[in-house]
Amino acid sequence: MNEKTIRTRFAPSPTGYMHVGNLRTALYAYLIAKHDNGDFILRIEDTDQERQVDGALDVIYNTMKITGLQHDEGPDVGGNVGPYIQSQRKNIYLDYAKKLIDNGEAYYCFCTKDRLDMIRKNSEALGRPHKYDKHCFHLSKEEIEEKIASGIPYVIRQNNPSTGTTTFEDEIFGKITVDNSELDDMVLIKSDGFPTYNFANVVDDHLMGITHVVRGSEYLSSSPKYNRLYDAFGWDVPKYIHCPPIMKDAHHKLSKRNGDASFEDLMEKGFLKEAILNYIALLGWNPGSTQEIFSLEELIKNFDYKNINKAPAIFDITKLKWMNGEYIRMLPIEKFHELALPYYKETLTKNIDLTKLSELMHTRTEILNEIPEQIDFLEALPEYSSDMYIHKKMKTNYENSLKSLEKSLPILENISNWSFDTVHDSMMDLAKEMEVKNGIVLWPLRTALSGKQFTPGGAFEIADILGKEESLKRVKIGIDKLKQVQ
């Protein structure tokens, strides 16, 4: 393994959905590696067996495949430093934990749950941060051997000093120093023999040659304990890149628990994978330019992790919608039609030219799952109020709307070659003949044809798609509706 090769990893737990924050971590780790032609590794952290969810591993693999974040090594593609699933590395961690015991950097702890709860309650009563009191660190070698031989359950804890300070360097947040008195003797090996997340990470990152560790800023407080482990083993410390949290708003973090969208949710809502990835890249990273639309290749070229922000990033769904709309408009019309077809079919049963509909919708769609509510009026004219004919800007009212529709009807009836152009030309001629602004003719016609205030196209596009028979039928309904309020 070349020491100069940048190696990053994405190490998710198979506990459910791919959260936006997890995907950003994967993306940043991928971009850091690929920006310098390095290696990107996928490692599955399944040491917390109780939290595992059936099918979650497939979610991870599928997300990596869909987004194009192709890993160079991992459980499904192999590599020289496997296994890449932590539960298959169980014996490795125990061996390393015992090395720490041998050099005084760790110790066996036999404390019961009741005793640990008592320590926690005492800390709370005194208003102090909870810390283990090193009770078992003082056990003699004979006492330890006796307890192990008796089958008393134990964990292995890190032995952190209670005086002095520990300093570490973060690529984003700079130099951070903490008092050792704040460091808890964290558990390295649990009573079930599995390592904790914190310990397994350190051992695996070293053995897998990871040079840059990307993770959320919530792990900043744990980093001194990680560094003490690296130092205890005599290993090089990787570069830390702690990313700012992704916030729902100024006060709340984005959280699946609170119903916030995961990657799968966003895909199901009709967002394009390219738009999601592009948007997530900008959640906490500044490209140093006004460019906002990046392909994955452009992100690889432009990504500099030193431009990751310290400040939290706000997940703005409105901005994501805008970006998704930009991506949809960049699609070839054939590709858009292919993506829109399932949404048409769930909404429309009438014989409508769907190719024409795609030409109309292509530049007017921000999210694919909004298509049904935009086109449902083509299937059936909705119930609507006569008040919709009143439009201040168009200067329409009941009286002139009725007059426009009554004059439009025979002209439309006489069109033999029904199309966008023939409807357009006939209605423009009518507006000139009536000596009124176009809106006085077109707003009533659009209202009659759609029964909606907002439509993806104007009167001509709607008439063209509906066809002559359906259009005339709707105009007559509009006339009857207006006559009732006269």
Side-chain angles (χ1 to χ4, degrees):
M1 194 183 295
N2 188 334
E3 288 182 1
K4 294 181 180 178
T5 300
I6 286 181
R7 288 172 64 82
T8 64
R9 49 75 169 171
F10 176 49
S13 300
T15 54
Y17 298 96
M18 179 69 75
H19 299 219
V20 167
N22 281 356
L23 184 57
R24 185 187 64 174
T25 299
L27 175 61
Y28 284 6
Y30 175 86
L31 295 175
I32 289 168
K34 296 307 166 186
H35 182 75
D36 287 300
N37 298 311
D39 300 325
F40 174 59
I41 292 101
L42 175 66
R43 185 173 74 221
I44 303 301
E45 300 195 337
D46 62 344
T47 57
D48 192 342
Q49 299 280 297
E50 291 181 2
R51 291 182 62 228
Q52 285 191 59
V53 174
D54 287 343
L57 200 53
D58 291 332
V59 169
I60 294 167
Y61 291 143
N62 289 339
T63 302
M64 305 301 279
K65 185 177 179 181
I66 290 167
T67 54
L69 304 182
Q70 187 61 48
H71 45 285
D72 302 290
E73 301 170 28
D76 53 339
V77 296
N80 296 325
V81 290
Y84 295 89
I85 296 178
Q86 285 186 336
S87 60
Q88 296 172 10
R89 300 168 64 84
K90 189 174 173 183
N91 292 336
I92 295 173
Y93 308 120
L94 191 56
D95 289 344
Y96 278 97
K98 286 179 177 176
K99 287 179 183 178
L100 291 178
I101 290 173
D102 291 340
N103 64 17
E105 296 288 347
Y107 57 93
Y108 292 101
C109 174
F110 302 90
C111 288
T112 63
K113 183 179 181 300
D114 287 344
R115 186 175 190 280
L116 296 174
D117 288 342
M118 181 192 72
I119 297 169
R120 182 176 286 104
K121 286 175 183 175
N122 287 344
S123 298
E124 289 171 358
L126 295 169
R128 294 175 183 169
H130 169 64
K131 271 182 64 176
Y132 179 66
D133 62 359
K134 287 186 179 289
H135 171 75
C136 289
F137 176 66
H138 304 290
L139 294 174
S140 66
K141 186 178 179 183
E142 291 74 24
E143 286 176 300
I144 292 168
E145 288 175 353
E146 183 183 332
K147 287 179 182 293
I148 292 175
S150 301
I152 296 174
Y154 64 84
V155 300
I156 297 177
R157 288 184 181 274
Q158 183 180 14
N159 179 26
N160 281 317
S162 52
T163 59
T165 60
T166 296
T167 299
F168 76 97
E169 189 80 24
D170 181 76
E171 296 294 302
I172 309 304
F173 290 86
K175 187 174 284 188
I176 296 175
T177 300
V178 298
D179 289 329
N180 289 337
S181 60
E182 297 176 12
L183 302 182
D184 189 22
D185 285 1
M186 67 176 178
V187 173
L188 306 180
I189 302 291
K190 296 178 287 187
S191 57
D192 61 4
F194 278 94
T196 57
Y197 169 87
N198 295 321
F199 184 55
N201 262 344
V202 170
V203 173
D204 286 345
D205 285 344
H206 170 73
L207 295 179
M208 294 181 179
I210 303 303
T211 59
H212 295 65
V213 172
V214 183
R215 60 184 174 222
S217 58
E218 64 267 25
Y219 292 106
L220 268 172
S221 61
S222 301
S223 295
K225 292 182 280 192
Y226 298 151
N227 274 23
R228 298 203 65 84
L229 288 172
Y230 280 106
D231 291 342
F233 284 120
W235 296 340
D236 291 337
V237 178
K239 289 184 183 294
Y240 291 127
I241 299 152
H242 286 95
C243 305
I246 300 176
M247 309 292 286
K248 185 175 185 176
D249 52 42
H251 305 289
H252 302 93
K253 287 177 75 171
L254 207 65
S255 166
K256 179 68 182 176
R257 195 174 298 153
N258 296 332
D260 298 321
S262 66
F263 174 70
E264 292 88 345
D265 292 332
L266 292 172
M267 289 284 288
E268 284 177 16
K269 287 179 179 178
F271 287 95
L272 302 183
K273 62 186 179 184
E274 296 86 356
I276 299 170
L277 215 57
N278 187 161
Y279 181 68
I280 287 174
L282 299 174
L283 283 176
W285 172 68
N286 182 353
S289 68
T290 56
Q291 183 177 349
E292 291 189 287
I293 305 298
F294 291 88
S295 66
L296 188 55
E297 291 72 24
E298 288 173 318
L299 285 172
I300 290 170
K301 182 181 177 183
N302 288 278
F303 195 80
D304 182 350
Y305 66 77
K306 288 184 167 57
N307 290 336
I308 293 174
N309 303 322
K310 293 179 185 177
I314 303 290
F315 187 90
D316 183 352
I317 194 70
T318 304
K319 182 68 177 286
L320 176 56
K321 283 182 180 179
W322 166 81
M323 186 172 283
N324 201 65
E326 293 294 303
Y327 270 89
I328 284 177
R329 283 183 278 281
M330 286 191 287
L331 291 172
I333 184 65
E334 298 79 13
K335 181 62 178 174
F336 172 75
H337 183 70
E338 179 188 326
L339 292 174
L341 211 51
Y343 297 93
Y344 296 159
K345 288 181 176 177
E346 79 175 59
T347 313
L348 305 173
T349 59
K350 289 191 172 180
N351 187 21
I352 286 173
D353 188 333
L354 298 180
T355 305
K356 279 185 180 177
L357 184 55
S358 281
E359 289 169 2
L360 178 66
M361 298 297 297
H362 187 199
T363 58
R364 294 171 169 87
T365 301
E366 276 195 331
I367 315 173
L368 293 171
N369 80 338
E370 290 180 351
I371 288 174
E373 66 186 60
Q374 288 185 283
I375 66 170
D376 55 2
F377 71 93
L378 296 172
E379 176 69 10
L381 184 66
E383 285 293 326
Y384 68 96
S385 166
S386 304
D387 293 344
M388 281 182 56
Y389 286 98
I390 300 172
H391 197 296
K392 286 184 180 178
K393 189 177 177 184
M394 298 293 180
K395 296 184 168 52
T396 59
N397 52 44
Y398 294 140
E399 188 179 349
N400 61 18
S401 292
L402 177 59
K403 184 178 180 182
S404 293
L405 286 183
E406 286 183 327
K407 286 185 173 292
S408 299
L409 182 59
I411 295 170
L412 294 170
E413 285 175 329
N414 286 327
I415 294 175
S416 55
N417 182 22
W418 189 270
S419 69
F420 174 96
D421 290 333
T422 54
V423 175
H424 172 276
D425 293 348
S426 66
M427 292 300 100
M428 291 296 99
D429 290 344
L430 176 60
K432 284 181 186 175
E433 180 191 315
M434 293 176 66
E435 297 181 342
V436 295
K437 290 191 174 181
N438 295 342
I440 289 184
V441 171
L442 300 185
W443 180 258
L445 181 58
R446 197 189 79 162
T447 302
L449 292 174
S450 69
K452 296 182 84 165
Q453 194 163 5
F454 302 103
T455 55
F460 310 133
E461 290 96 342
I462 295 169
D464 184 28
I465 290 171
L466 284 173
K468 182 175 181 178
E469 183 182 347
E470 181 65 19
S471 296
L472 294 178
K473 176 182 167 186
R474 294 185 180 200
V475 170
K476 290 172 184 174
I477 291 171
I479 290 171
D480 291 341
K481 191 178 283 284
L482 284 166
K483 282 181 176 178
Q484 292 171 17
V485 294
Q486 293 297 307

